[in-house]
């Protein structure tokens, strides 16, 4: 049982005060009858419509964001714009938060959700969820760098789990590479690259678990995950 106004909020139909207004305006029907009472308790067998269109209950929201630079992976910040600030009010559900962190200057795939259980699962070190980054790097790696990554770099501050380094190009002293980790320590890619005497100049996450960044999303844009993508995330 859920209050009608909460139900509409959870379904992304507006803030609590916005949906209260819609209800007062007579735009909401429960089982075919207009109701102006936001406190009415409804359950899954009730049919709710807004402006004569059915409203299907979705407790959780899952968004794929192409994070731009100069945003922080947090829900609130005193100084910087957060990734949640990029989300339109109709999608900004209670409890929406970034599933993991990318640095302020890192771009690319970030999942935003209010499904705490799934996020906890995906971020658990025991799950070894693969994250792949495209990196532009100043410097050329030693020839054995892919083997060193694979063995697990001991960078002093911590020992990295086995990782994958694929060199895509090397020219004029610069490298482009794809790096896949199964963990996510603070600044990890930058620290691993620095340990081998090079410097990350651009970093973009291109995949997270079974999901790849949708190439149609420009930086700062997001879209809901498809049911298939949600199932892929949950499969783990
Ligand atoms: N590694 C980094 O160094 N930064 C990120 O944002 C993600 C992984």
């Amino acid at each position: 049982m859920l209050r009608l106004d909460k139900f509409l909020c959870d379904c992304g139909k507006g803030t609590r005060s916005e949906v209260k207004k819609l209800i007062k305006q007579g735009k909401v029907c429960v089982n075919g009858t207009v109701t102006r009472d936001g406190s009415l308790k409804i359950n899954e067998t009730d049919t709710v419509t807004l402006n004569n269109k059915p409203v299907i209950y979705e407790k959780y929201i899952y968004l794929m964001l192409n994070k731009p630079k100069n945003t922080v992976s947090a829900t609130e910040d005193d100084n910087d714009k957060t990734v949640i600030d990029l989300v339109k009010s109709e999608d900004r559900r209670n409890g929406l938060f970034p599933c993991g962190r990318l640095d302020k200057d890192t771009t690319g795939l970030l999942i935003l959700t209010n499904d705490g259980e799934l996020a906890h699962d995906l971020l658990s070190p025991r799950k070894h969820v693969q994250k792949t980054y495209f990196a532009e790097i100043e410097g050329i790696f030693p020839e054995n760098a892919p083997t060193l990554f694979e063995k697990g770099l001991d960078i002093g501050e911590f020992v990295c789990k086995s990782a994958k380094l694929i060199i895509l190009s090397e020219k004029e002293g610069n490298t482009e590479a794809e790096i896949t980790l199964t963990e996510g320590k603070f600044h990890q890619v930058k620290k691993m690259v620095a340990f081998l005497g090079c410097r990350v100049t651009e970093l973009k996450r291109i995949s997270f678990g079974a999901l790849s960044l949708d190439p149609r999303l420009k930086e700062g844009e997001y879209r809901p995950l498809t049911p298939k993508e949600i199932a892929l995330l949950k499969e783990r």
Side-chain angles (χ1 to χ4, degrees), residues 5-225:
D5 47 12
K6 169 128 181 36
F7 169 89
L8 290 166
C9 283
D10 284 357
C11 294
K13 299 303 172 196
T15 60
R16 202 66 171 246
S17 57
E18 285 164 352
V19 303
K20 278 190 172 146
K21 203 160 151 197
L22 294 170
I23 295 168
K24 284 267 167 341
Q25 289 168 342
K27 295 187 170 164
V28 177
C29 293
V30 177
N31 302 326
T33 307
V34 172
T35 175
R36 292 172 201 273
D37 177 9
S39 72
L40 184 79
K41 294 282 194 321
I42 55 163
N43 64 35
E44 61 274 19
T45 62
D46 293 314
T47 307
V48 178
T49 59
L50 169 63
N51 293 325
N52 299 318
K53 291 200 197 92
V55 183
I56 310 300
Y57 187 58
E58 285 170 7
K59 187 168 178 200
Y60 295 124
I61 187 168
Y62 305 90
L63 305 174
M64 175 189 288
L65 169 72
N66 184 354
K67 179 190 170 297
K69 285 188 178 183
N70 298 319
T71 50
V72 291
S73 303
T75 51
E76 281 174 24
D77 194 276
D78 288 341
N79 305 310
D80 291 302
K81 194 167 175 170
T82 74
V83 288
I84 302 299
D85 294 331
L86 299 167
V87 178
K88 293 187 215 117
S89 63
E90 64 262 34
D91 296 323
R92 213 180 287 173
R93 304 291 168 75
N94 263 345
L96 187 68
F97 69 99
C99 177
R101 279 170 187 274
L102 292 175
D103 295 340
K104 188 171 159 184
D105 60 353
T106 299
T107 61
L109 203 173
L110 191 62
I111 302 297
L112 309 178
T113 184
N114 56 349
D115 183 346
E117 200 177 325
L118 180 67
H120 181 264
D121 213 37
L122 292 168
L123 297 174
S124 158
R126 278 176 290 116
K127 298 282 169 163
H128 309 292
V129 174
Q130 290 199 340
K131 294 131 201 151
T132 301
Y133 299 85
F134 169 76
E136 290 178 21
I137 293 160
E138 204 177 78
I140 304 285
F141 286 121
E143 222 163 88
N144 63 343
T147 315
L148 295 174
F149 265 57
E150 198 182 333
K151 281 188 178 152
L153 276 187
D154 180 354
I155 65 169
E157 184 186 342
F158 52 84
V159 182
C160 303
K161 293 211 172 90
S162 176
K164 192 164 175 187
L165 170 66
I166 300 175
I167 308 290
L168 302 172
S169 76
E170 285 178 336
K171 62 172 184 274
E172 293 161 7
N174 295 315
T175 302
E176 286 184 345
E178 247 178 53
I179 296 170
T180 302
L181 309 183
T182 58
E183 51 186 348
K185 298 207 170 78
F186 190 54
H187 296 329
Q188 185 161 351
V189 171
K190 290 173 186 162
K191 285 176 180 170
M192 291 167 80
V193 168
F195 183 75
L196 295 183
C198 300
R199 189 174 74 87
V200 171
T201 53
E202 295 287 333
L203 193 61
K204 175 179 185 172
R205 184 152 70 190
I206 55 174
S207 76
F208 181 87
L211 301 188
S212 295
L213 179 64
D214 185 333
R216 288 167 299 189
L217 287 177
K218 299 198 186 87
E219 283 178 21
E221 290 183 347
Y222 67 90
R223 66 157 173 82
L225 292 187

